[in-house]
């Protein structure tokens, strides 16, 4: 059974790692790893392979950055011959990035079975490029693996038949649980002088937050107040860095002694940083899930989430990007002392094993 596994951007790597591990129990599976090259530098890509123990990609399509249309098209053009050459039984795509939909389309059009891991999530906000990628990938997938019940419900509402849908848990959490002990050995807290200190962690990269100067300004204004109370550790995404320093906001940020800008961190350092934080502010999808498991309060700087289970069971608060709302939510969670969060169902480190058990059924 030949399986082509697709990765492209940073959040894909922690999702594919546990699958590559789980295949090892099935000698008749031949997994091949295809990297589209959507993220390409060491800090956004290479080092995650090393830290997560992912084998080197069998093929790298090396598409790099471009507009959405060009990037998606280039991935499709480069992936089609790979599918034709390898004639896989299944193509697996994860998450919601441009690589997900591009390779999904190629699989569907070349008649190869397509499996989507992290299917069914919906923010119901079609201005998000990821929402378009999710809806389209799910519509053409043969097997849809969901992390939470809302994903199952959304797919059924879109008319996808029951036998294609599997609630399996969360592969990103498989990676987190596997690497937590190792992460605790990271020296990041010493390196940043944070041991025994209360601190906040911030990540921002959504175009809706960092491409709009007014919205970005609102967030920076909230940070200015917060950084007087706790240090804010801000590993900065390349898109965000470019936008911050090409405007006056960069000068404002430089004048905040409590706002600590860093290059993007590796997986283990970042996990350790999250685990000991007093509060996390983010617009990432994956970090909402990771903080839910770590039971760290998370303020999501968006007006919606495609991961409602993190709010229902976990520590996630949907706050938006308005200065006053951010500050009110921040003060609320800092004053809460009974943080009674629960782990969402099936987020137990076994999602990849469940997926592979289902995948091999037609290939006993
Ligand atoms: C992409 C995903 C987003 C995901 C995010 C995680 C889509 C539509 N978006 O957004 O869902 O949450 O990845 O980071 O697929 N760059 C580098 N080095 C790299 C890669 C990019 O410096 O290795 C810079 C380039 O200047 C590029 C910019 O970062 O223009 C943005 O990268 P891109 O892949 O276009 O989108 P992300 O914002 O990272």
């Amino acid at each position: 059974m030949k399986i082509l596994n697709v990765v492209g951007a940073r959040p894909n790597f922690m999702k594919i790692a546990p699958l590559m591990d789980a295949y090892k129990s099935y000698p008749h599976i031949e997994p091949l790893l295809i990297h589209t090259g959507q993220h390409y530098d060491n800090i956004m890509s290479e080092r995650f392979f090393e830290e997560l123990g992912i084998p080197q990609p069998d093929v790298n399509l090396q598409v790099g950055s471009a507009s959405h249309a060009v990037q998606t098209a280039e991935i499709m053009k480069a992936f089609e011959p790979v599918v034709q050459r390898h004639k896989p039984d299944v193509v697996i795509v994860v998450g919601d990035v441009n690589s997900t939909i591009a390779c999904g389309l190629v699989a569907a059009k070349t008649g190869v079975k397509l499996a989507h891991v992290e299917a069914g999530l919906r923010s119901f906000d079609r201005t998000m490029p990821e929402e378009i990628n999710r809806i389209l990938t799910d519509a053409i997938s043969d097997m849809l693996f969901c992390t939470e019940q809302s994903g199952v419900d959304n797919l059924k509402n879109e008319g996808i038949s029951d036998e294609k849908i599997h609630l399996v848990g969360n592969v990103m959490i498989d990676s987190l649980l596997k690497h937590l002990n190792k992460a605790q050995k990271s020296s990041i807290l010493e390196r940043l002088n944070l041991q025994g200190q209360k601190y906040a962690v911030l990540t921002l990269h959504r175009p809706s937050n960092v491409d709009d100067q007014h919205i970005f300004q609102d967030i920076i204004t909230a940070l200015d107040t917060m950084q007087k109370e706790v240090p804010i550790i801000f590993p900065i995404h390349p898109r965000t860095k470019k936008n911050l320093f090409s405007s006056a906001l960069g000068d404002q940020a430089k004048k905040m002694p409590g706002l600590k800008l860093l290059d993007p961190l590796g997986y283990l350092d970042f996990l350790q940083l999250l685990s000991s934080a007093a509060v996390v502010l983010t617009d990432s999808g994956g970090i909402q899930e990771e903080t839910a498991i770590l039971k760290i309060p998370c303020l999501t700087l968006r007006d919606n989430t495609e991961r409602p289970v993190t709010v229902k069971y976990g520590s996630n608060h949907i706050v938006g990007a308005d200065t006053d709302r951010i500050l009110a939510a921040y003060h609320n969670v800092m004053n809460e002392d009974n943080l009674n969060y629960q782990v969402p169902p099936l987020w137990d480190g076994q999602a990849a094993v469940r997926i592979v058990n289902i995948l091999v059924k037609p290939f006993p």
Side-chain angles (χ1 to χ4, degrees):
M1 181 184 185
K2 200 182 252 189
I3 304 180
L4 291 194
N5 299 272
V6 175
V7 288
R10 183 170 59 177
N12 294 160
F13 306 134
M14 22 316 223
K15 294 173 193 169
I16 218 70
L19 286 166
M20 298 305 283
D21 261 350
Y23 296 136
K24 291 178 188 154
S25 312
Y26 294 90
H28 72 291
I29 294 184
E30 185 192 345
L32 292 175
L33 186 60
I34 316 299
H35 192 330
T36 64
Q38 177 174 345
H39 284 175
Y40 44 87
D41 42 25
N42 178 43
I43 58 167
M44 296 298 283
S45 172
E46 248 166 71
R47 64 175 164 185
F48 291 90
F49 283 73
E50 205 176 297
E51 291 191 11
L52 291 158
I54 309 171
Q56 281 308 302
D58 297 284
V59 181
N60 192 324
L61 308 178
Q62 294 186 317
V63 295
S65 302
S67 70
H68 283 260
V70 171
Q71 188 174 61
T72 308
E74 290 299 334
I75 297 170
M76 290 182 70
K77 275 164 63 185
F79 187 55
E80 189 179 51
V82 175
V83 173
Q84 282 162 345
R85 179 159 18 105
H86 289 286
K87 301 189 174 31
D89 298 290
V90 182
V91 167
I92 298 211
V93 293
V94 298
D96 55 16
V97 301
N98 286 345
S99 300
T100 310
I101 179 61
C103 294
L105 272 171
V106 170
K109 293 213 170 191
T110 47
V112 177
K113 284 216 173 325
L114 176 64
H116 183 205
V117 173
E118 204 185 87
L121 297 181
R122 297 288 181 269
S123 64
F124 302 101
D125 173 2
R126 290 198 180 193
T127 64
M128 279 179 86
E130 293 81 4
E131 182 76 351
I132 305 296
N133 294 342
R134 293 180 198 118
I135 294 169
L136 298 181
T137 305
D138 288 339
I140 55 174
S141 290
D142 301 285
M143 281 173 274
L144 299 107
F145 296 110
C146 299
T147 53
E148 57 172 278
Q149 184 59 39
S150 78
V152 174
D153 299 340
N154 293 331
L155 294 173
K156 287 187 180 172
N157 287 339
E158 288 171 23
I160 292 174
S161 59
D162 283 9
E163 66 273 12
K164 290 185 180 175
I165 306 171
H166 308 275
L167 181 61
V168 290
N170 192 326
V171 283
M172 194 172 223
I173 301 306
D174 291 4
S175 273
L176 182 150
L177 295 174
K178 180 172 171 190
H179 289 92
L180 204 49
N181 279 341
K182 220 177 184 183
Q184 277 157 5
K185 299 193 184 95
S186 141
S187 60
I188 186 77
L189 300 183
E190 290 122 76
R191 278 164 21 229
L192 298 177
N193 243 331
L194 292 171
Q195 280 168 309
Q197 263 208 66
K198 275 195 171 184
Y199 63 89
V201 175
L202 168 72
T203 82
L204 281 177
H205 74 282
R206 295 263 159 238
S208 57
N209 280 335
V210 302
D211 290 2
D212 182 315
Q213 287 294 304
H214 297 290
I215 293 179
F216 205 176
Q217 174 71 68
D218 275 3
I219 296 173
I220 294 281
T221 307
L223 297 177
D224 197 10
T225 302
M226 281 177 61
Q227 58 92 30
K228 292 174 185 144
E229 296 175 23
V230 286
I232 304 171
I233 313 303
F234 186 16
I236 190 164
H237 184 281
R239 157 198 286 286
T240 312
K241 190 173 183 180
K242 216 184 318 173
N243 291 357
L244 184 63
F245 291 109
S246 61
S247 73
L249 293 176
D251 295 330
Q252 211 179 325
K254 276 192 211 150
K255 287 186 199 131
M256 300 182 198
L259 182 67
K260 316 276 186 206
L261 270 74
L262 310 178
D263 280 335
L265 292 171
Y267 185 66
L268 298 173
D269 280 345
F270 190 67
L271 205 50
Q272 171 66 345
L273 194 63
L274 280 188
S275 317
S276 304
V279 61
V280 172
L281 296 93
T282 191
D283 58 11
S284 147
I287 294 172
Q288 295 171 47
E289 301 184 330
E290 291 166 338
T291 47
I293 286 290
L294 296 168
K295 304 192 173 180
I296 305 292
C298 175
L299 308 185
T300 294
L301 306 184
R302 290 171 42 192
D303 292 320
N304 51 52
T305 180
E306 58 289 326
R307 293 158 160 93
V309 80
T310 58
V311 177
K312 184 175 170 196
Y313 289 87
S315 51
N316 191 11
H317 304 262
I318 306 302
V319 171
D322 171 75
T323 308
D324 294 339
R325 275 185 70 195
I326 297 172
L327 288 174
Y330 159 70
H331 286 119
N332 266 345
V333 295
M334 293 301 269
N335 294 327
E336 241 175 66
D337 47 28
N338 182 19
L339 302 174
N340 204 6
Y341 304 132
Q342 290 166 34
V343 171
L346 296 176
W347 290 20
D348 57 0
Q350 297 301 310
V353 171
R354 290 189 195 101
I355 291 172
V356 178
N357 279 335
I358 294 165
L359 280 174
V360 295
K361 271 194 192 140
F363 302 87

